[in-house]
Amino acid sequence: MTAKVIRIDGADACRDGLRTAAEVVEAGGLVAFPTETVYGIACRASRAAIARLDEVKGRDTKKHYTLHIGRNDDYRAYVPKVDPRVGNLVRRAWPGPLTLVFELHPVELSRQKGQMGDETFEILYKNGSIGIRCPDHPAATTLLQLVRGPVVAPSANPPGCDPATDADQVIAQLGERLDIILDGGPCKYRKNSTVARVGRQGVEVLREGVYSQMDLQPMATMTFLFVCTGNTCRSAMAEGLFRAHLAKKIGCSVDELARKGYKVHSAGTMDSVGVPASDGAITACRLKGVDITGHRSRPLTRSLIEASDVVFCMAWAHYEQVRFLSPDGQAKCSLLAHDVEIPDPVGQPQECFNKCADMIQAAVAARIGELDI
């Protein structure tokens, strides 16, 4: 029996067609639908429906399909904990042509299995991981939101054929093996999504598609900014000490932080450019095994604030300046030592710089301890 073709063109009738398609998927049927990359086959995550999908795709039953979601945050129901870099990647790249393979800790896997049951868990998870995609196409978004329960969706093509990029190709290749084909016209990219594994070691592209490794790296980066007045003492020390503690925590060298997806900067509320760190700050950091001799001051700007994910200030005056330059920056800004100001050691003896460095180091250690990395 030939699949029913429903044209998706933005008319009110389309909503009814999408509801019908969602009901078919819920009942165990197979529905081809458009995404921004290629057409996919929506299938309910149940053994009976997956068995039929395996037959259509000619696929090894041991292979797993990718979960598709209609909203960015829906992944949290399947991956309860991610580090900040992965959270940034999800926020910046989804919805979009990117499939992410999330690695879960055994404790998290056990919890997920208990929540969703053996059948669904065994369909979605493989070797301690789950693949998830959030497509960027209105028909896909609506369909996935309407279906109650998880949906997997491989590309719409039989064995040995390229993925379909328009409805006519789906009809020609699979028209007699599907229940409904949603015709949304040609796909935007006409190529597969990029598949990337994300975990403690960062982002690893498993299959290049629309995005390359170079495209993904900036999206999966966590940027920290430290602010003081002149950017030659407190924030300079904080930047150096934070780099050292962060590198130790994730098990890499300071020079590898950027490649691992972490950037650390500092700036001052004064318009000071290119001034080295003060002798007192350099000495205080050297006593802790941290070299900041290469530091040069830079002024705090709105663009620098907005490019950062977390902003730590030394005093409330710096916090107010951040808020003045970027009202939206307030949500990601706080004092480094929580509600305690770190006093300015400028003009004071070396002992004051050393005590300031002690205070900064303790605050940095506490802040890094709060991060899910």
Side-chain angles (χ1 to χ4, degrees), residues 127-173:
N127 297 330
S129 65
I130 181 172
I132 304 179
R133 169 148 147 68
C134 183
D136 186 18
H137 190 289
T141 298
T142 302
L143 175 65
L144 293 168
Q145 290 178 1
L146 287 173
V147 177
R148 291 172 294 184
V151 174
V152 299
S155 57
N157 59 289
C161 296
D162 291 332
T165 57
D166 62 46
D168 289 341
Q169 292 175 12
V170 181
I171 293 169
Q173 295 177 359

Side-chain angles (χ1 to χ4, degrees), residues 225-361:
L225 175 64
F226 295 88
V227 181
C228 72
T229 305
N231 191 215
T232 59
C233 295
R234 288 171 290 177
S235 60
M237 288 191 288
E239 178 184 348
L241 292 168
F242 191 89
R243 287 179 186 275
H245 279 264
L246 182 60
K248 182 178 180 180
K249 175 160 187 175
I250 65 177
C252 71
S253 69
V254 170
D255 293 337
E256 291 178 305
L257 285 174
R259 186 173 61 81
K260 294 288 186 179
Y262 296 99
K263 292 182 178 180
V264 186
H265 304 300
S266 62
T269 55
M270 292 175 57
D271 292 330
S272 175
V273 181
V275 179
S278 68
D279 291 340
I282 291 174
T283 299
C285 283
R286 184 183 296 124
L287 291 172
K288 297 184 179 299
V290 175
D291 182 7
I292 62 169
T293 56
H295 173 82
R296 295 296 181 270
S297 66
R298 66 160 71 175
L300 181 68
T301 62
R302 178 174 181 174
S303 60
L304 191 56
I305 296 167
E306 293 179 350
S308 301
D309 297 293
V310 180
V311 181
F312 291 127
C313 296
M314 303 300 121
W316 288 115
H318 309 134
Y319 175 90
E320 292 300 329
Q321 185 65 9
V322 168
R323 192 169 69 166
F324 171 76
L325 291 172
S326 175
D328 292 338
Q330 181 179 356
K332 54 187 174 184
C333 182
S334 62
L335 294 194
L336 175 60
H338 293 281
D339 292 331
V340 178
E341 293 189 337
I342 296 175
D344 193 347
V346 169
Q348 302 297 315
Q350 184 61 47
E351 181 182 357
C352 292
F353 280 90
N354 295 346
K355 288 181 179 179
C356 182
D358 288 341
M359 190 174 183
I360 290 172
Q361 186 175 50

Side-chain angles (χ1 to χ4, degrees), residues 21 24-25 28-33 40-44 49 53 68 143-144 147 151-154 178-179 182:
V24 168
V25 174
L30 302 180
V31 172
F33 67 101
I41 303 174
C43 174
R44 179 183 172 188
L53 180 61
H68 280 54
L143 175 65
L144 293 168
V147 177
V151 174
V152 299
L178 304 176
D179 298 298
L182 299 175

